[in-house]
């Protein structure tokens, strides 16, 4: 017969944490169109746990249904469809790292069939655009939070065409009998939301070594374990038993968690004595089955509960309450959090993290947070982060009444991006047990100037309608190319300003302010904000920069003529035809 699972009530001392502050809560729970049947019926006192009798929905988070199982694993392809509403981060609390576009053809077919059965022809997915002209990013927890969406090589799906003028920033999938496609939609539209889950149920997260909790939020307040102990230890644990510390199998989900712990354990997966926590010693007995029954059940399918030799070791399943409240979010600032600080003297950016044990992370070796910066309206960067050695950090004295979370602190250096004007930086993380999203304040930071000067300029670019796409379909890099070509042509035609052009290291379009059509309807006028980086020069001192007409780059503004780019010209400033340049930063 298969492995034997014995039953005993075991309690552990509960460890309580102090709730803490978060800047933003995760989205509130919504009702599901899909119905999870796992916990629908209570489970009577068990003499054995039979894998094949546990509903497949127990491999899914609450609200999700299993549409396919994966052989030789405890995983299933699970689908959750939330009721119609505006776009939200509605799949985060499942802890999933899978979205619709990650699936292969077989899995896609199963999901499409369910959507069509529920008469869903279009639904939200967990992706959206965060920047005005930015790319589609993932909105699922973990290290890929806000990472660009990447379609697998085998995928038949294509990225949707952006229509920036309609402010459509949230992603949907549209389904019919023959096809499916990704699309952008106004985030306020009312649509169901599609969530996909195909991960295992157990992670370590905030629990101790060799303990588990659920990947999804519904059981993350508890820590579960299965470990070998002598029978004398078992008797001592009985004396310490508490109701909230027993691993009570009162529903099929707890039975599924026990099976997954049993399989994941290095010490107990081949043990003949496994004890879980809702039976007394007198009920330990072998459950007899007819020979015909046992022949149809594989060795790993039936986990029997049997008496054990008191001289042997047994594996004991336990649970303990790790987090007392439903959330670690409070308003007094004593809980898990992050603080971002720019040291202007060193030109370095530091992040202090408090209580990172309570940050949700799939991989125990990851930081549990992700930092971001954006250089313009199109690109969101994820700067590198380096943890500082404790010997390199001198902490101040903690207050006598400081919480344990305040004492659990560490510091990181956030690596600043390339030289340039100040740019915003911030960091984000999700907390257990409810996936509350915490964010630092946004901090402006930059590398030391290193003998560079930074300027901003507003220009108006004229585009011939007959030879150009509409301005709202052009990317910032398209405008960069047009500006670069314009400067190149002016440089050739004006050799007397060679030293001025040589002082310019780079010009980048950072924002499209506005655009409109001419009275004759022949031209588009596009107002752009540029950032200009120049080399150092003594004559470019602060006094001179206070008067735009004495700025030598400003001389370019008086050369107002059609550019040699086909179908476009540049008009410098909308009123005086003067390129107004203002200093953003001067070298120290």
């Amino acid at each position: 017969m298969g492995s034997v699972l014995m039953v005993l009530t075991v309690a552990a001392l509960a460890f309580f944490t102090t709730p803490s502050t978060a800047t933003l809560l995760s989205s509130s729970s919504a009702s599901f169109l899909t119905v999870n049947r796992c916990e629908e019926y209570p489970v009577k006192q068990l003499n054995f746990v039979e894998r094949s009798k546990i509903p497949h929905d127990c491999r899914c988070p609450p609200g999700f249904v299993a549409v396919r199982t994966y052989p030789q694993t405890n995983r299933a392809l699970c689908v959750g469809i939330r009721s119609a509403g505006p776009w939200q981060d509605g799949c985060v609390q499942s802890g999933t790292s899978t979205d619709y576009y990650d699936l292969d053809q077989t899995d896609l077919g199963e999901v499409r069939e369910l959507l069509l059965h529920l008469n869903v022809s279009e639904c939200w997915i967990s992706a959206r655009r965060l920047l005005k002209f930015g790319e589609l990013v993932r909105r699922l927890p973990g290290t890929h939070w806000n990472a660009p969406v990447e379609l697998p090589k085998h995928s038949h799906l294509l990225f949707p065409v952006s229509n920036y003028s309609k402010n459509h920033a949230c992603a949907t999938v549209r389904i019919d009998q023959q096809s499916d496609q990704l699309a952008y939609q106004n985030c306020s539209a009312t649509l169901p939301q599609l969530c996909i889950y195909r991960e295992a149920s157990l992670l370590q997260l905030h629990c101790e070594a060799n303990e588990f909790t659920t990947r999804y939020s519904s059981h993350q307040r508890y820590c579960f374990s299965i470990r070998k102990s002598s029978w004398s230890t078992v008797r001592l644990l009985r004396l310490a038993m508490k109701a909230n510390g027993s691993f009570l199998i009162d529903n099929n989900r707890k039975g599924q968690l026990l099976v997954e712990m049993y399989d994941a354990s290095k010490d107990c997966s081949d043990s003949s004595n496994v004890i879980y926590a809702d039976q007394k010693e007198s009920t330990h007995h072998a459950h007899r089955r007819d020979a015909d029954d046992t022949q149809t059940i594989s060795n790993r399918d039936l986990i029997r509960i049997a008496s054990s030799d008191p001289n042997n070791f047994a594996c004991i399943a336990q649970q303990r309450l790790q987090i007392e409240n439903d959330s670690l979010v409070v308003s007094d600032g004593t809980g898990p959090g992050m603080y971002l600080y720019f040291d202007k003297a060193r030109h370095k950016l530091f992040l202090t993290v408090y209580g990172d044990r309570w940050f949700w992370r799939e991989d125990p070796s990851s930081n549990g947070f992700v930092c971001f910066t954006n250089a313009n309206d199109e690109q969101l960067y994820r700067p590198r982060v380096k943890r500082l050695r404790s010997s390199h950090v001198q902490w101040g004295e903690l207050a006598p009444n400081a919480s344990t979370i305040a004492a659990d602190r560490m510091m990181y250096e956030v690596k600043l991006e390339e030289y340039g004007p100040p740019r915003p930086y911030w960091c984000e993380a999700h907390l257990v047990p409810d996936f509350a999203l915490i964010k630092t304040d946004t901090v402006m930071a930059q590398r030391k100037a290193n003998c560079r000067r930074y300027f901003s300029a507003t220009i108006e670019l004229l585009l011939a309608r007959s030879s150009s796409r509409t301005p709202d379909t052009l990317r910032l890099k398209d405008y960069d190319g047009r500006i670069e070509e314009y400067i190149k042509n002016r440089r050739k035609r004006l050799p007397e300003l060679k030293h001025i052009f040589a002082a310019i290291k780079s010009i980048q379009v950072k924002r499209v302010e506005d655009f409109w059509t001419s009275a004759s309807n022949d031209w588009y006028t596009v107002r752009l904000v540029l950032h200009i980086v120049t080399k150092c020069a003594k004559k470019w001192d602060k006094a001179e920069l206070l008067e735009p007409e004495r700025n030598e780059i400003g001389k370019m503004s008086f050369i107002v003529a059609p550019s040699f780019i086909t179908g476009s010209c540049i008009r410098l400033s909308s009123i005086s035809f003067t390129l107004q340049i203002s200093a953003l930063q001067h070298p120290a």
Side-chain angles (χ1 to χ4, degrees):
M1 288 297 295
S3 302
V4 178
L5 188 63
M6 294 197 65
V7 186
L8 174 70
T9 304
V10 178
L13 297 178
F15 174 78
F16 303 106
T17 64
T18 304
S20 182
T21 301
T23 57
L24 180 66
L25 286 175
S26 60
S27 59
S28 60
S29 60
S31 59
F32 283 87
L33 300 179
T34 45
V35 179
N36 185 293
R37 305 289 183 184
C38 175
E39 301 177 44
E40 195 168 44
Y41 304 103
V43 175
K44 296 180 180 180
Q45 186 170 347
L46 299 178
N47 291 326
F48 60 90
V49 175
E50 194 168 351
R51 297 169 186 265
S52 61
K53 299 299 183 183
I54 299 176
H56 290 158
D57 283 1
C58 295
R59 305 182 186 189
C60 307
F64 288 61
V65 296
V67 297
R68 181 190 176 198
T69 59
Y70 298 109
Q72 309 303 318
T73 73
N74 288 311
R75 297 184 298 112
L77 175 63
C78 306
V79 180
I81 303 176
R82 288 185 174 272
S83 300
W87 188 94
Q88 61 171 325
D89 288 320
C91 303
V92 169
Q93 289 191 337
S94 70
T96 182
S97 60
T98 304
D99 210 344
Y100 185 81
Y101 47 80
D102 295 315
L103 303 178
D104 60 24
Q105 286 294 337
T106 302
D107 287 349
L108 285 173
E110 298 284 356
V111 175
R112 273 201 305 269
E113 183 178 344
L114 177 62
L115 290 171
L116 292 172
H117 176 72
L118 295 174
N119 295 318
V120 175
S121 59
E122 184 176 15
C123 53
W124 300 120
I125 61 173
S126 297
R128 63 166 299 165
R129 187 170 55 235
L130 294 179
L131 303 178
K132 183 176 181 181
F133 298 100
E135 55 196 340
L136 204 61
V137 299
R138 301 173 69 96
R139 296 291 289 180
L140 295 174
T143 55
H144 296 294
W145 176 252
N146 287 344
V149 170
E150 296 180 357
L151 299 180
K153 293 181 180 179
H154 59 73
S155 178
H156 67 284
L157 295 169
L158 300 175
F159 282 111
V161 177
S162 297
N163 190 338
Y164 302 111
S165 64
K166 292 185 178 180
N167 196 28
H168 287 193
C170 293
T172 70
V173 59
R174 294 172 180 168
I175 305 285
D176 60 32
Q177 292 287 354
Q178 288 77 35
S179 64
D180 52 357
Q181 65 181 54
L182 300 180
Y184 280 112
Q185 182 61 271
N186 190 304
C187 299
S188 299
T190 301
L191 293 171
Q193 183 158 24
L194 172 66
C195 301
I196 308 292
Y197 183 96
R198 57 179 180 180
E199 287 73 23
S201 298
L202 298 176
L203 290 176
Q204 180 180 339
L205 293 179
H206 53 85
C207 299
E208 303 291 347
N210 300 317
E211 288 187 329
F212 303 96
T213 188
T214 54
R215 185 186 185 103
Y216 44 83
S217 62
S218 67
H219 287 68
Q220 278 182 14
R221 295 171 59 212
Y222 294 91
C223 291
F224 310 107
S225 64
I226 185 169
R227 62 192 69 183
K228 278 190 175 181
S229 297
S230 66
W231 281 98
S232 59
T233 303
V234 170
R235 295 187 179 94
L236 290 174
L237 286 170
R238 273 207 197 97
L239 297 176
M241 182 179 60
K242 292 183 180 179
N244 63 4
S246 63
F247 190 89
L248 180 65
I249 300 184
D250 54 354
N251 58 59
N252 281 309
R253 185 175 300 280
K254 295 294 287 291
Q256 178 66 29
L257 294 179
L258 179 63
V259 167
E260 294 193 30
M261 282 196 295
Y262 175 81
D263 290 346
S265 171
K266 296 179 181 179
D267 296 329
C268 297
S269 60
D270 59 350
S271 173
S272 61
N273 302 316
V274 179
I275 301 169
Y276 74 83
D278 64 347
Q279 290 195 336
K280 300 177 181 178
E281 186 174 9
S282 60
T283 64
H284 293 174
H285 61 279
H287 182 79
R288 295 182 176 275
R289 297 178 66 90
D290 294 333
D292 291 339
D293 292 337
T294 59
Q295 290 175 0
T296 62
I297 299 174
S298 65
N299 285 344
R300 294 186 63 80
D301 182 65
L302 181 65
I303 305 175
R304 289 185 301 165
I305 299 163
S307 297
S308 174
D309 183 348
N311 296 320
N312 291 339
F313 286 85
C315 283
I316 307 172
Q318 301 171 254
Q319 81 175 36
R320 61 188 181 89
L321 182 64
Q322 176 81 345
I323 301 174
E324 184 178 27
N325 295 337
D326 293 333
S327 177
L328 293 177
V329 176
V330 292
S331 58
D332 61 3
T334 59
M338 299 180 290
Y339 177 72
L340 198 58
Y341 170 72
F342 178 52
D343 187 329
K344 295 182 180 179
R346 297 184 178 91
H347 279 270
K348 290 188 176 183
L349 186 62
F350 296 105
L351 175 70
T352 305
V353 175
Y354 297 92
D356 78 324
R357 173 180 183 173
W358 313 107
F359 290 10
W360 190 95
R361 50 169 67 80
E362 182 175 17
D363 183 352
S365 64
S366 69
N367 293 326
F369 62 85
V370 187
C371 296
F372 306 97
T373 182
N374 60 298
N376 50 42
D377 288 342
E378 188 171 297
Q379 295 170 299
L380 188 66
Y381 294 98
R382 298 155 63 91
R384 293 180 295 113
V385 175
K386 178 184 178 182
R387 181 177 174 180
L388 301 182
R389 296 180 181 178
S390 56
S391 59
H392 293 176
V393 180
Q394 184 175 356
W395 298 104
E397 292 292 331
L398 287 172
N401 60 345
S403 68
T404 56
I405 290 178
D408 177 18
R409 54 189 177 177
M410 57 188 66
M411 185 174 288
Y412 297 81
E413 181 184 351
V414 180
K415 297 295 184 179
L416 299 177
E417 288 297 315
E418 60 191 22
Y419 295 105
R423 62 174 66 182
Y425 289 82
W426 71 96
C427 302
E428 301 182 11
H430 289 96
L431 299 182
V432 296
D434 60 346
F435 288 89
L437 177 64
I438 62 171
K439 299 173 64 175
T440 65
D441 290 335
T442 300
V443 173
M444 301 296 291
Q446 66 178 134
R447 287 187 180 183
K448 192 172 182 179
N450 195 22
C451 202
R452 289 174 171 83
R453 296 182 187 271
Y454 308 104
F455 307 91
S456 69
T458 300
I459 68 167
E460 290 176 2
L461 175 68
L462 302 183
L463 302 175
R465 296 191 66 181
S466 60
S467 59
S468 173
R469 305 202 314 264
T470 57
D472 57 311
T473 62
L474 293 173
R475 305 286 296 272
L476 296 186
K477 61 183 179 182
D478 298 324
Y479 290 112
D480 280 336
R482 291 171 182 264
I483 299 298
E484 182 181 354
E485 188 66 24
Y486 177 84
I487 296 297
K488 185 185 297 184
N489 286 323
R490 306 310 294 175
R491 186 170 187 166
K492 290 179 181 178
R493 293 178 59 84
L494 300 169
E496 67 274 16
L497 294 182
K498 179 180 179 181
H499 65 291
I500 300 297
F501 289 108
I504 300 175
K505 293 187 67 68
S506 67
I507 298 178
Q508 283 187 312
V509 178
K510 295 296 182 179
R511 184 179 305 129
V512 178
E513 291 277 275
D514 198 5
F515 69 89
W516 57 91
T517 56
S518 64
S520 63
N521 223 26
D522 295 331
W523 296 86
Y524 291 113
T525 302
V526 187
R527 182 173 295 158
L528 304 173
V529 174
L530 308 182
H531 278 188
I532 303 173
V533 182
T534 70
K535 299 177 182 178
C536 291
K538 291 183 179 180
K539 57 186 175 182
W540 290 54
D541 58 25
K542 187 173 182 179
E544 290 181 339
L545 288 173
L546 294 176
E547 302 180 55
E549 67 274 14
R550 297 184 59 189
N551 186 332
E552 294 194 51
I553 285 186
K555 293 179 181 179
M556 294 167 52
S557 64
F558 297 102
I559 309 165
V560 182
S563 84
F564 293 91
I565 310 170
T566 303
S568 67
C569 69
I570 293 180
R571 186 170 64 196
L572 303 172
S573 177
S574 59
I575 300 176
S576 63
F577 300 96
T578 301
L579 177 60
Q580 300 293 330
I581 300 178
S582 59
L584 287 180
Q585 171 72 27
H586 300 285

